[in-house]
Amino acid sequence: MSYVRHSFVRKATFISLAVVSGIASMQPAAAQFGPCRSAAPTTPEVNLFVSDLDRAVDWYRKNVGLAEDQRWFDFGRGGISAVRMNQYGAGVTLLFSPAQRGLSSMQLLCFVLDSPLAPAIASKPIYLVDPDGTSVELAPRSANTDSTPSK
């Protein structure tokens, strides 16, 4: 009986130490997201379904400062059209599919940009809503973020 109790106490102690160690090593979400408050920084690998591709491309160009990087149309997958837009690694891939018409892909997007549209260092983020209702955060660059753009 003593051996079973000793074994249980060792296991419980080990589990407690593992939990405490895990909690101690956790970082707050803000630290993981950097200057973004609503979502992790958005990259061109993030896909967003839109109801009107040309309208969305125009909106992200004018309001976020993204440039069209690549456009393609896939005849074999139900007519999906896509446009990848970015600026120095920040960006999004906009997708339009006739089969998805009317469906919303409500998301939170956050862009950390190096452009006149970006909020100044240490200022508050700017929150926008795109034509399809997706929340878009333009985050200020943090003071410790390298301001040299890398493509």
Side-chain angles (χ1 to χ4, degrees), residues 44 57 60-61 66-69 83-87 90-92 94:
V57 167
Y60 280 91
R61 181 183 301 116
L66 301 179
E68 187 174 322
D69 180 43
V83 175
R84 184 171 59 203
M85 301 187 75
N86 69 60
Q87 181 200 95
V92 65
L94 304 171

Side-chain angles (χ1 to χ4, degrees), residues 2-20:
S2 159
Y3 174 75
V4 171
R5 185 180 312 188
H6 180 67
S7 175
F8 175 77
V9 169
R10 276 195 331 209
K11 287 179 184 176
T13 303
F14 175 76
I15 291 170
S16 297
L17 288 173
V19 168
V20 169

Side-chain angles (χ1 to χ4, degrees), residues 14-136:
F14 175 76
I15 291 170
S16 297
L17 288 173
V19 168
V20 169
S21 173
I23 291 171
S25 67
M26 289 176 59
Q27 297 177 355
Q32 293 173 4
F33 291 155
C36 292
R37 294 183 183 180
S38 64
T42 306
T43 68
E45 287 75 34
V46 172
N47 297 316
L48 178 65
F49 278 95
V50 297
S51 61
D52 183 321
L53 190 60
D54 291 328
R55 177 182 71 176
V57 167
D58 186 52
W59 191 89
Y60 280 91
R61 181 183 301 116
K62 288 179 181 176
N63 293 286
V64 182
L66 301 179
E68 187 174 322
D69 180 43
Q70 184 177 4
R71 184 181 285 251
W72 62 94
F73 185 82
D74 188 348
F75 291 101
R77 298 187 187 234
I80 293 177
S81 302
V83 175
R84 184 171 59 203
M85 301 187 75
N86 69 60
Q87 181 200 95
Y88 306 121
V92 65
T93 298
L94 304 171
L95 301 166
F96 171 78
S97 169
Q100 296 291 328
R101 186 179 294 274
L103 296 178
S104 174
S105 65
M106 284 294 290
Q107 295 185 11
L108 298 172
L109 301 177
C110 180
F111 298 97
V112 182
L113 305 170
D114 186 21
S115 76
L117 296 172
I121 292 173
S123 65
K124 293 185 179 185
I126 297 171
Y127 294 96
L128 306 169
V129 177
D130 82 359
D132 289 300
T134 300
S135 297
V136 177

Side-chain angles (χ1 to χ4, degrees), residues 87-89 113-114 121 141-151:
Q87 181 200 95
Y88 306 121
L113 305 170
D114 186 21
I121 292 173
R141 294 189 67 83
S142 62
N144 62 358
T145 303
D146 181 11
S147 62
T148 308
S150 60
K151 272 196 170 179

